[in-house]
Amino acid sequence: MCSTTDTKMETNDEKGNSSPKTVILDDISSSTDVEKQYIAEEKQRNSFIENDVSENSHLHPPSSNWLPRWKLKFQENSKSISACTIYSFCSISMVLVNKSLASSYNHLIEGGGHRDLNILLVVFQAIIAVFCVEMCKQLGWVEYPNFRWETAKRWAPVNVFFCLMLFTSITALQYNSVPMVTIFKNIANISTCFGDYYFFGNKPEFLVLVAFGVMLSGAVAASWNDIHVSSLGLMWMCLNCLSTSGYVLYMKFATKAVKLSKFGMVFYNNVLCVLILLPIAFYRNEVLLFFQSVALHTPEYFTKNGFAGVVGFFLNFASLQCVAMTGPTTYAIIGSVNKVPGVFLGYWLFQDEITEKTWFFIAISMAGGFLYSYAKLRKSDTNTKKTVDYEGRK
């Protein structure tokens, strides 16, 4: 590998090219797998710099295009940290804003009682998401095909699970505290994993099963000791776990038949969400109830709805950027880590009454979530080593 680079440099010198010398890193064969990857990236980056200087030397002086390795590394780390921070902010904000919309304004609804506007809230956010993704398409930031009824019909079964997932999530937040909803969202990993095994034959590892046991036992014990938990609240949390798993599993099957980009899915999910849930909102008199509830028509309420819709859309951007900058394993770990500030912020903002025993079992369930992330990380490392060994034998 080094000899190829040396030949290339000699050829450039023979042509009289004044570009800076590429840094040669010797003895690649004795490096670890991580070092090999880093060295390859350094060589590729140096090659890009060399080509840019040689092809555009009349526009940019050679010295202005070269950056020290530490500065390049600093820029990469800064981008990774920013991507993770934005993703965490969007994820936590969605939970907190939806909790506020689902539980803090029901007393202002005309007629009071147990009436709510949860379906209409999902419709509001879906409309805003459609507007955002269309605007990004017009600006050339994203690409996806125009709406077609044939594609919509084939994608509709996935969207049914999507609508159920959003509706049950908001309703679960209405009847439960943020810490309880957060730990029960981990249970969706269990039903998804077993569904993946049943439908696709992907057998979970032993450490993953141990993590599931810790998560489930902690969640059950926490709900048992929560003084405000109700059978209705538990029902909505369980339905949310099942609908989330159904959405993930069915989408894995549907994407083989319907080829859509990430933002194509966002577009069709939200358009179909409006088409499916808006008639239901009319049937439940939520639209009429909203217009009759004049006390709801405040800048604060509309701002929160708008914020939830925009953040829900940009969460897709943030998740894609986080995966691109750090990798899927780090993305999964960040998803576990950002539950910690979400739990404490939810407790602090909504003044939920939680006993010391409940906090203890919440911590156990969240520890199970971290163990699950570690198990996935270890599996990812094992698969990477197998791939490297296979490539080395070829």
Side-chain angles (χ1 to χ4, degrees):
M1 186 179 293
C2 291
S3 62
T4 304
T5 310
D6 291 334
T7 304
K8 181 179 177 182
M9 290 179 63
E10 289 170 5
T11 304
N12 290 338
D13 289 338
E14 289 172 3
K15 293 180 180 179
N17 196 336
S18 60
S19 59
K21 299 291 184 183
T22 304
V23 178
I24 303 298
L25 299 171
D26 298 322
D27 198 16
I28 295 180
S29 59
S30 63
S31 304
T32 64
D33 293 338
V34 176
E35 289 171 340
K36 287 180 182 178
Q37 184 179 359
Y38 179 77
I39 291 170
E41 290 174 355
E42 286 292 301
K43 281 179 169 290
Q44 186 178 18
R45 185 183 296 112
N46 288 329
S47 176
F48 288 156
I49 295 173
E50 181 181 358
N51 292 337
D52 180 67
V53 173
S54 62
E55 294 175 6
N56 304 284
S57 57
H58 64 289
L59 298 175
H60 307 286
S63 58
S64 65
N65 283 272
W66 186 83
L67 289 174
R69 183 186 302 175
W70 69 266
K71 194 167 185 179
L72 289 170
K73 201 65 181 174
F74 175 77
Q75 290 179 350
E76 290 177 2
N77 291 337
S78 298
K79 290 178 181 178
S80 299
I81 294 172
S82 299
C84 293
T85 303
I86 293 171
Y87 166 67
S88 298
F89 170 78
C90 292
S91 180
I92 295 170
S93 297
M94 276 297 296
V95 174
L96 298 179
V97 174
N98 280 334
K99 169 64 177 176
S100 176
L101 290 171
S103 62
S104 300
Y105 293 92
N106 288 350
H107 66 285
L108 300 177
I109 298 175
E110 190 71 21
H114 296 287
R115 312 183 83 172
D116 60 68
L117 303 176
N118 291 342
I119 291 181
L120 195 60
L121 288 175
V122 177
V123 173
F124 282 156
Q125 294 177 18
I127 292 173
I128 294 171
V130 171
F131 173 78
C132 289
V133 74
E134 273 293 297
M135 183 176 65
C136 290
K137 182 181 180 181
Q138 296 301 320
L139 292 172
W141 295 350
V142 300
E143 290 185 5
Y144 56 87
N146 294 326
F147 182 83
R148 295 179 57 197
W149 278 110
E150 182 181 351
T151 304
K153 290 176 183 178
R154 297 169 68 185
W155 192 254
V158 182
N159 192 256
V160 170
F161 285 107
F162 178 75
C163 294
L164 287 172
M165 180 180 67
L166 296 184
F167 170 67
T168 55
S169 177
I170 288 183
T171 310
L173 285 167
Q174 177 185 349
Y175 291 102
N176 299 280
S177 65
V178 172
M180 288 301 299
V181 172
T182 300
I183 63 171
F184 263 87
K185 282 185 179 294
N186 282 333
I187 307 302
N189 291 325
I190 301 178
S191 53
T192 301
C193 183
F194 284 104
D196 197 27
Y197 172 67
Y198 181 80
F199 290 108
F200 302 101
N202 296 324
K203 188 176 180 180
E205 294 182 339
F206 175 74
L207 188 58
V208 171
L209 296 177
V210 172
F212 286 162
V214 175
M215 284 191 292
L216 184 59
S217 59
V220 171
S223 61
W224 186 267
N225 288 275
D226 193 321
I227 59 177
H228 294 296
V229 75
S230 64
S231 57
L232 186 60
L234 286 173
M235 181 196 74
W236 285 114
M237 284 194 291
C238 291
L239 287 175
N240 179 244
C241 291
L242 292 175
S243 58
T244 301
S245 298
Y247 173 67
V248 172
L249 294 170
Y250 198 90
M251 185 172 63
K252 187 174 182 178
F253 167 77
T255 48
K256 297 179 181 178
V258 184
K259 301 300 181 182
L260 286 173
S261 65
K262 175 75 173 179
F263 289 98
M265 295 179 193
V266 173
F267 173 71
Y268 275 97
N269 272 338
N270 286 284
V271 169
L272 292 175
C273 185
V274 174
L275 295 177
I276 293 173
L277 293 185
L278 187 57
I280 299 176
F282 273 105
Y283 176 77
R284 294 187 67 210
N285 290 324
E286 289 190 15
V287 178
L288 179 62
L289 196 60
F290 171 75
F291 285 109
Q292 289 177 345
S293 304
V294 182
L296 282 177
H297 304 167
T298 62
E300 179 186 358
Y301 186 77
F302 288 116
T303 300
K304 285 183 178 180
N305 271 289
F307 179 79
V310 172
V311 169
F313 166 71
F314 277 103
L315 184 59
N316 295 284
F317 268 118
S319 60
L320 283 175
Q321 186 69 5
C322 187
V323 172
M325 296 302 302
T326 63
T329 303
T330 304
Y331 172 75
I333 294 174
I334 294 297
S336 297
V337 172
N338 66 24
K339 287 181 172 61
V340 176
V343 164
F344 287 104
L345 283 172
Y347 169 73
W348 178 66
L349 290 173
F350 301 102
Q351 299 296 312
D352 295 317
E353 189 176 351
I354 300 177
T355 63
E356 292 182 1
K357 281 187 177 180
T358 304
W359 274 120
F360 174 73
F361 291 120
I362 287 174
I364 290 179
S365 184
M366 295 184 70
F370 284 107
L371 182 61
Y372 174 73
S373 297
Y374 170 73
K376 301 297 286 185
L377 174 62
R378 195 177 71 165
K379 182 179 179 181
S380 176
D381 289 341
T382 302
N383 292 339
T384 302
K385 290 179 181 178
K386 288 181 179 179
T387 303
V388 172
D389 291 341
Y390 173 76
E391 292 294 334
R393 296 191 191 102
K394 289 173 66 176

